[in-house]
Amino acid sequence: METNKPPVFLDLRLIKMPPAALASIGHRASGIFIALLVPFLLYLLELSLSSQEGFNQATLLMESTGAKAATILVLWALFHHLFAGIRFLFADIHIGVNRESGRLTALVVIAAAPIAAIIAGLMI
Amino acid sequence: MSRRASGLKAWLVQHITAVYMLLCTMIGAIFLIAQQPISYTVWKGWMAQPLFSLNLLLLFIALLLHAWVGVRNVLIDYIKPISLRIFLLSLLAFGLAGNGLWVIEIVIRAQIS
């Protein structure tokens, strides 16, 4: 069983992160963040289906100025998780795994996520 | 679950749920954009359709399974003290299971009301 151990050096304060590592740790951080949001999403779902009044309350909650900023933040996490996840899926079929393309796609993921979040956030 | 879902099985669960959620969100986004703004009646109407609500239910179940494997991996990587790790894993399992029951309740209620 000793041969199956995962790598042990994971001190995040001491590791210098190239783009691929940043995209990867961002994938983890955003994943945890989204997991914590699930109860709130279910609350919104329940509220929006409860009655016309509940639906109005839910939409009002989404449309307030503070909520707009929060929504964009949530969308950023979501898009980063989505894009980085798609990048991992491609890596599984051996696309974009060499050093240059891995670095490039990581940069694309990191840059595209906040842009997509702002566009989608303003559309809602 | 932790032992059974380790390794290849966890990897499979993560990938199948990821692709399913990706498809659902893309189709869902198209629906939302096509129907803007969405009224309560339209929203209720969607939920009354078995195909829609079943996929919504499956989407959340996929999300919860995906969260279980993902957060479990992160906890195993970063939480070293075994008692704390077990505590957090149990908390996660109970939390996710509770959310699962909740979403089942929401979907069933939307069908009968």
Side-chain angles (χ1 to χ4, degrees), chain A residues 22-97:
Chain A
L22 214 59
S24 177
I25 197 75
H27 187 240
R28 287 196 147 188
S30 58
I32 299 277
F33 182 54
I34 296 161
L36 292 172
L37 277 174
V38 173
F40 180 68
L41 288 176
L42 288 177
Y43 166 75
L44 271 183
L45 179 66
E46 190 172 46
L47 185 65
S48 73
L49 287 166
S50 61
S51 62
Q52 176 71 57
E53 214 168 284
F55 183 84
N56 295 346
Q57 248 179 304
T59 37
L60 220 66
L61 211 64
M62 293 296 288
E63 277 166 2
S64 66
T65 331
K68 198 108 211 172
T71 306
I72 289 175
L73 191 74
V74 170
L75 286 170
W76 181 22
L78 215 58
F79 277 120
H80 185 95
H81 200 80
L82 204 68
F83 295 160
I86 291 168
R87 180 172 173 272
F88 286 145
L89 288 176
F90 275 117
D92 282 342
I93 50 173
H94 308 290
I95 295 174
V97 284

Side-chain angles (χ1 to χ4, degrees), chain B residues 63-92:
Chain B
L63 176 62
L64 294 170
L65 286 172
H66 194 88
W68 165 249
V69 176
V71 179
R72 184 197 69 137
N73 286 349
V74 173
L75 290 178
I76 289 173
D77 276 346
Y78 298 117
I79 309 294
K80 290 305 167 193
I82 197 76
S83 53
L84 181 63
R85 185 193 285 181
I86 290 172
F87 171 72
L88 290 175
L89 282 173
S90 330
L91 201 68
L92 174 69

